[in-house]
Amino acid sequence: MCLQEVYTKNWDDTYDHWFKREGYGAQMFQSVYKSHGVSVSWNKERFEVVDQLCVRMDGTEQVCGEKLETDNVALIVVLRFTEEDKDAGLVVSNTHLYWKPSACFERLQQQVLLQRAVRKMQDKYPQYACISCGDYNTTPDDAGYALLTMPRPVTLNEWQLDNLLPQTQADEEDSDDSDSAKPLSYSEMAAAGTCAETDESISKRRKLEDEEREIEQQLQRDTQRVEQLVNTMQEEGQVLKSCYGTYADVDPSYRTEQWKGEPVYTNYSLWKGTLDYIFYSPSKLAVHEVLSLPKEDKLMPGIPNDKFSSDHVSLVARFGFNR
């Protein structure tokens, strides 16, 4: 069982005691500055822990030379069967990626970091299957989803690539710099083409040209960084499948052209959409069942409510090993 945004107080007062009472082992990894984290729990009668790895998702300087300040975390637990085939096991990861909708570039860095951590565990336990759970804060039409699930090489569309470009403060806020914000007036532009420019108009034109040149150079640098991360995702990571990736085949009412087979929502609050996934390695695992999602009339106008304690619905899958 993988949980995100587990508050430390709730873990200490409730969850930890409940898991122990019900015969479950459990680990929680907390953020540094937030009062919550992620957890992985398992049935102790069926599994034993053989390894684990805690990942702070801001350590992305090893990915592209810069350190993030999101305080997101991931937890990887390696489980071995206790009674069945003892050579079989699972590498289970759980994460909660950066929430900001415009931060596709930051999430892509976190995905690379998590992918490398999972790969490290898989290299140690190559016979084990992989299950990656979490709130990825990524919709099914985002580049991050395609890079996890699509056959190589992945061809991203222009919208996906544009969204991956780093967002600057100028992109997100209206600038108050009156000099840089003001374009040349019509009379100045006309004068520049028909007669000698004034010193002031020359200065403004050159400043605009310098700013445009700097923007173009920065765009080229950012594009190269994105291309590097995209290539790294494809070269280093395995192709995973989403347990709910064909959910619309089971319940056609969830089918949308935009999000293909994924559910219309896993988050149902002020914003409604799909952000949560259970990914798995299809070469070693097969999905036998998934939990049906609650209908909208049970969730409207939004959750949490008296029946659902979170603004995200639960995803549950039953797996079998490919033989």
Side-chain angles (χ1 to χ4, degrees):
M1 182 186 299
C2 296
L3 303 175
Q4 303 86 38
E5 285 195 45
V6 181
Y7 281 84
T8 308
K9 186 177 187 307
N10 293 341
W11 180 264
D12 293 338
D13 293 347
T14 305
Y15 292 119
D16 190 34
H17 300 293
W18 185 91
F19 284 130
K20 290 177 180 177
R21 187 183 72 231
E22 297 299 320
Y24 280 76
Q27 293 286 347
M28 177 190 172
F29 183 43
Q30 184 183 341
S31 303
V32 176
Y33 301 108
K34 298 175 183 176
S35 57
H36 57 74
V38 297
S39 70
V40 176
S41 54
W42 58 93
N43 188 328
K44 293 171 68 175
E45 291 184 357
R46 297 199 64 189
F47 297 101
E48 61 181 347
V49 177
V50 295
D51 213 336
Q52 67 179 50
L53 181 62
C54 298
V55 185
R56 298 211 175 273
M57 303 297 280
D58 286 344
T60 51
E61 61 269 22
Q62 58 184 287
V63 174
C64 65
E66 67 177 36
K67 183 177 175 64
L68 299 178
E69 296 181 358
T70 65
D71 202 20
N72 293 119
V73 296
L75 176 61
I76 304 172
V77 177
V78 182
L79 302 171
R80 179 171 59 203
F81 285 99
T82 55
E83 295 182 354
E84 302 169 36
D85 184 356
K86 290 196 174 184
D87 291 330
L90 299 170
V91 176
V92 180
S93 69
N94 184 23
T95 192
H96 186 184
L97 300 186
Y98 190 37
W99 69 272
K100 202 167 189 178
S102 62
C104 293
F105 180 67
E106 287 79 3
R107 281 191 293 275
L108 183 59
Q109 294 179 66
Q110 293 179 333
Q111 281 188 225
V112 171
L113 189 66
L114 178 59
Q115 180 176 267
R116 287 179 175 175
V118 171
R119 183 64 177 268
K120 180 179 178 180
M121 291 291 101
Q122 287 186 294
D123 287 344
K124 291 178 67 175
Y125 307 94
Q127 72 275 28
Y128 287 13
C130 172
I131 298 177
S132 293
C133 305
D135 178 351
Y136 281 73
N137 274 311
T138 299
T139 55
D141 53 350
D142 281 346
Y145 180 91
L147 291 168
L148 282 171
T149 61
M150 295 290 289
R152 310 320 192 205
V154 179
T155 300
L156 300 177
N157 60 44
E158 184 176 354
W159 177 83
Q160 290 172 323
L161 289 170
D162 285 346
N163 281 347
L164 284 178
L165 291 172
Q167 299 292 306
T168 64
Q169 188 171 356
D171 292 328
E172 301 173 356
E173 300 177 358
D174 292 329
S175 173
D176 293 328
D177 187 339
S178 57
D179 289 334
S180 62
K182 285 184 178 179
L184 293 173
S185 67
Y186 180 82
S187 60
E188 289 172 335
M189 293 170 66
T194 59
C195 61
E197 295 178 275
T198 65
D199 290 343
E200 182 180 3
S201 64
I202 290 173
S203 176
K204 287 185 178 181
R205 175 173 58 79
R206 288 177 176 171
K207 184 176 181 179
L208 285 173
E209 289 172 348
D210 289 342
E211 290 176 351
E212 289 175 356
R213 191 177 302 110
E214 183 178 343
I215 290 172
E216 181 63 30
Q217 291 172 349
Q218 184 61 51
L219 178 60
Q220 292 177 1
R221 290 192 294 269
D222 288 343
T223 301
Q224 290 174 354
R225 295 164 71 197
V226 167
E227 289 175 349
Q228 179 183 356
L229 288 171
V230 168
N231 291 336
T232 299
M233 278 287 295
Q234 299 191 68
E235 292 167 1
E236 297 184 4
Q238 64 173 313
V239 178
L240 302 175
K241 288 188 71 173
S242 168
C243 287
Y244 282 77
T246 57
Y247 188 75
D249 295 338
V250 179
D251 188 344
S253 67
Y254 285 88
R255 185 176 302 283
T256 62
E257 183 60 30
Q258 182 184 16
W259 290 355
K260 308 301 180 186
E262 290 284 352
V264 180
Y265 54 78
T266 61
N267 174 268
Y268 203 94
S269 53
L270 293 177
W271 182 89
K272 301 169 179 62
T274 295
L275 300 173
D276 310 277
Y277 306 94
I278 304 173
F279 295 113
Y280 67 98
S281 48
S283 62
K284 294 179 178 173
L285 293 173
V287 177
H288 291 177
E289 292 179 310
V290 296
L291 179 68
S292 296
L293 298 182
K295 299 295 185 181
E296 279 198 87
D297 60 357
K298 304 296 184 183
L299 307 176
M300 296 173 64
I303 52 177
N305 58 25
D306 58 346
K307 292 184 175 61
F308 297 91
S309 59
S310 171
D311 57 344
H312 295 248
V313 297
S314 296
L315 303 182
V316 180
R318 186 170 70 88
F319 293 97
F321 279 92
N322 296 328
R323 299 297 183 184

